[in-house]
Amino acid sequence: MDRKRRISIIGSTGSIGTQALEVIERLRDKFEIVALAGGNNVELLKLQAEKFKPEYICYNNKAISPPGDKSISSYKILHGEEGLEQICSDRSTDLILVACSGKAGLKPTLKAIENGIDIALANKETLVMAGDIVMKKAREYGSKIIPVDSEHCAIHQCIKDIRQVDKLIITASGGPFLHKSIEEMRKATVKEALSHPRWNMGRKITVDSATLMNKGLEIIEAHHLFGMDYDDIEVVIHPQSIVHSAIEYKDGSVIAQLGLPSMHIPIQYAITYPERFEGIKSKSFSFAEIARLDFEKPDFEKFPALNLAYFAGRTGGTATTCLNAANEEAVFAFLDGKITLCQIVEITEKMLSGHKVIQNPSIDEIFAIDGEVREKTQNYIKNTL
Ligand code: MG
């Protein structure tokens, strides 16, 4: 990079956001922070702002008084969706890392694309909700979408020419219930679901990893990012999380990307792409130390989320919007102790089977469906369970 890259982070106080700032701290001479947006964790946002000196900070709730420290008065304080819109309209920005969780990622991503700003996308829900529109817009406005999700980052690193690729192979650690019985999974507590064996992530994505819905969403994400048919996207369980994903070329050659599990690496790859720097380098890789890598077929019966995601993806239109909204609401209900872990996917399936799919929806239709499905899911949980 011949000059400092001007970057904003949406979701700077979350798991990906804080790790991105750790990467940027190591590469201070490469980046200039335009804006940091966090949800409601104003205290952390304030600490980040003092350290990284952004031009703007943005948080959700206007009612929360701004950080009182005088040192912060040099930053402009923005709020909520309007604030995010302003951040995503600042055309002096080179790259926006969209690292917030759930549906909150879609609007800012679209706004940034419309302003020709490149996106490092950590929020997979954006593509699950509205992948066709997002990718089409990105092509139209010449904005690059660089995946941060470790599997998609791996595939991005492997691909030279997508036209020569026959198959994407997405790896899944299998989550905390991989070798537990269905009965044990039915009785799973929130704490058990949140104890992921390999990755330390936010709560929503960790629950999604326990049901394998996360992998389901990643299948849809991969379909949009790389333009691959669902028939050519395969999931394989790989408990060690060393092979982050792979591609198979037409001639049968398989190229995989490997590394010790750390989100710092895909984040760093995405925000410095196409260059590479030492930055936060993981400890040097040793095949001999790792000694063995295991792979197995996913158990589609135990993890129905996978087939549900394939089904929604193949159906297309608003089916994936519905899948995402129902799942997200059900995950919140599980975290609130209202339903069991297995009910998350059961409820999502129920909502999807009752959904009247709109093909080629407009963005307004997507937001309308998203709202309707969320309400329906909440009512279903309240009234029938
Ligand atoms: Mg992932």
Side-chain angles (χ1 to χ4, degrees):
M1 293 188 255
D2 43 4
R3 65 168 176 86
K4 282 189 180 185
R5 189 168 281 180
R6 285 174 57 77
I7 184 171
S8 290
I9 303 178
I10 295 179
S12 68
T13 55
S15 169
I16 297 286
T18 48
Q19 293 180 79
L21 286 172
E22 285 161 15
V23 170
I24 289 171
E25 201 181 349
R26 295 284 182 93
L27 299 170
R28 276 319 296 260
D29 55 330
K30 312 279 180 220
F31 292 98
E32 208 170 275
I33 301 209
V34 184
L36 294 176
N40 286 320
N41 192 346
V42 179
E43 276 311 305
L44 178 56
L45 196 54
K46 178 185 150 186
L47 290 175
Q48 293 178 341
E50 282 169 1
K51 193 163 176 181
F52 292 95
K53 312 265 182 268
E55 291 163 31
Y56 310 94
I57 64 168
C58 177
Y59 54 90
N60 278 346
N61 195 342
K62 244 186 183 159
I64 301 175
S65 54
D69 202 305
K70 280 199 187 73
S71 65
I72 211 148
S73 58
S74 58
Y75 323 124
K76 230 171 149 179
I77 295 169
L78 307 172
H79 296 284
E81 275 193 20
E82 244 171 69
L84 291 181
E85 199 178 319
Q86 199 176 326
I87 289 169
C88 296
S89 304
D90 183 331
R91 294 189 181 204
S92 73
T93 310
D94 299 303
L95 180 74
I96 297 186
L97 171 62
V98 180
C100 51
S101 156
K103 72 161 186 174
L106 179 54
K107 271 190 190 167
T109 302
L110 285 171
K111 189 42 91 183
I113 289 173
E114 283 164 12
N115 285 288
I117 301 167
D118 291 339
I119 309 280
L121 189 62
N123 174 280
K124 67 194 77 180
E125 290 88 345
T126 291
L127 292 176
V128 178
M129 284 176 79
D132 289 328
I133 295 177
V134 170
M135 295 312 290
K136 190 169 165 244
K137 266 203 178 194
R139 282 191 294 274
E140 203 176 303
Y141 289 89
S143 145
K144 280 203 270 310
I145 311 252
I146 304 142
V148 174
D149 210 347
S150 61
E151 297 77 1
H152 307 75
C153 174
I155 291 169
H156 192 265
Q157 295 184 56
C158 293
I159 290 178
K160 264 201 215 150
D161 182 350
I162 186 72
R163 289 166 304 180
Q164 297 171 337
V165 177
D166 253 4
K167 189 166 81 177
L168 307 181
I169 305 162
I170 299 179
T171 53
S173 73
F177 302 105
L178 177 62
H179 293 125
K180 298 262 164 70
S181 68
I182 297 193
E183 289 67 42
E184 282 173 289
M185 208 174 147
R186 290 207 174 276
K187 284 186 268 175
T189 61
V190 170
K191 199 173 156 226
E192 284 165 340
L194 287 179
S195 55
H196 197 277
R198 295 282 165 212
W199 300 95
N200 189 3
M201 310 171 285
R203 283 158 67 89
K204 198 260 171 183
I205 182 171
T206 306
V207 175
D208 281 344
S209 300
T211 60
L212 288 207
M213 183 59 89
N214 182 53
K215 213 45 59 180
L217 302 179
E218 287 179 356
I219 293 166
I220 300 167
E221 183 186 11
H223 162 80
H224 289 294
L225 279 170
F226 306 110
M228 290 296 275
D229 275 357
Y230 285 98
D231 291 349
D232 302 325
I233 304 173
E234 190 180 287
V235 172
V236 65
I237 302 289
H238 168 47
Q240 292 98 343
S241 296
I242 297 292
V243 176
H244 298 310
S245 279
I247 61 174
E248 186 179 322
Y249 278 104
K250 283 184 190 307
D251 59 2
S253 272
V254 174
I255 313 278
Q257 187 259 337
L258 284 75
L260 299 172
S262 153
M263 275 315 291
H264 286 120
I265 307 304
I267 293 168
Q268 184 170 293
Y269 172 85
I271 65 174
T272 60
Y273 178 81
E275 293 187 59
R276 287 188 192 257
F277 301 98
E278 204 166 291
I280 294 192
K281 191 183 166 195
S282 63
K283 115 178 194 291
S284 192
F285 190 83
S286 160
F287 275 102
E289 232 171 77
I290 287 161
R292 61 177 284 176
L293 298 171
D294 297 304
F295 300 94
E296 59 186 275
K297 267 195 184 155
D299 182 339
F300 286 92
E301 253 173 66
K302 195 162 119 189
F303 298 108
L306 283 177
N307 274 334
L308 201 58
Y310 272 115
F311 171 76
R314 288 186 174 115
T315 306
T318 52
T320 58
T321 315
C322 171
L323 174 88
N324 181 64
N327 175 64
E328 198 168 316
E329 289 304 318
V331 169
F332 294 151
F334 169 69
L335 287 170
D336 281 349
K338 291 178 187 152
I339 61 170
T340 65
L341 182 71
C342 293
Q343 281 178 318
I344 296 172
V345 181
E346 287 162 19
I347 291 166
T348 306
E349 183 168 15
K350 178 118 195 131
M351 293 301 128
L352 192 59
S353 67
H355 175 61
K356 218 170 149 266
V357 177
I358 304 173
Q359 291 295 345
N360 305 310
S362 68
I363 197 71
D364 290 338
E365 283 172 320
I366 282 173
F367 282 118
I369 295 287
D370 178 75
E372 276 166 34
V373 173
R374 282 171 197 275
E375 210 185 309
K376 239 176 120 180
T377 311
Q378 287 168 6
N379 287 337
Y380 180 79
I381 291 168
K382 203 161 77 191
N383 301 328
T384 28
L385 297 170

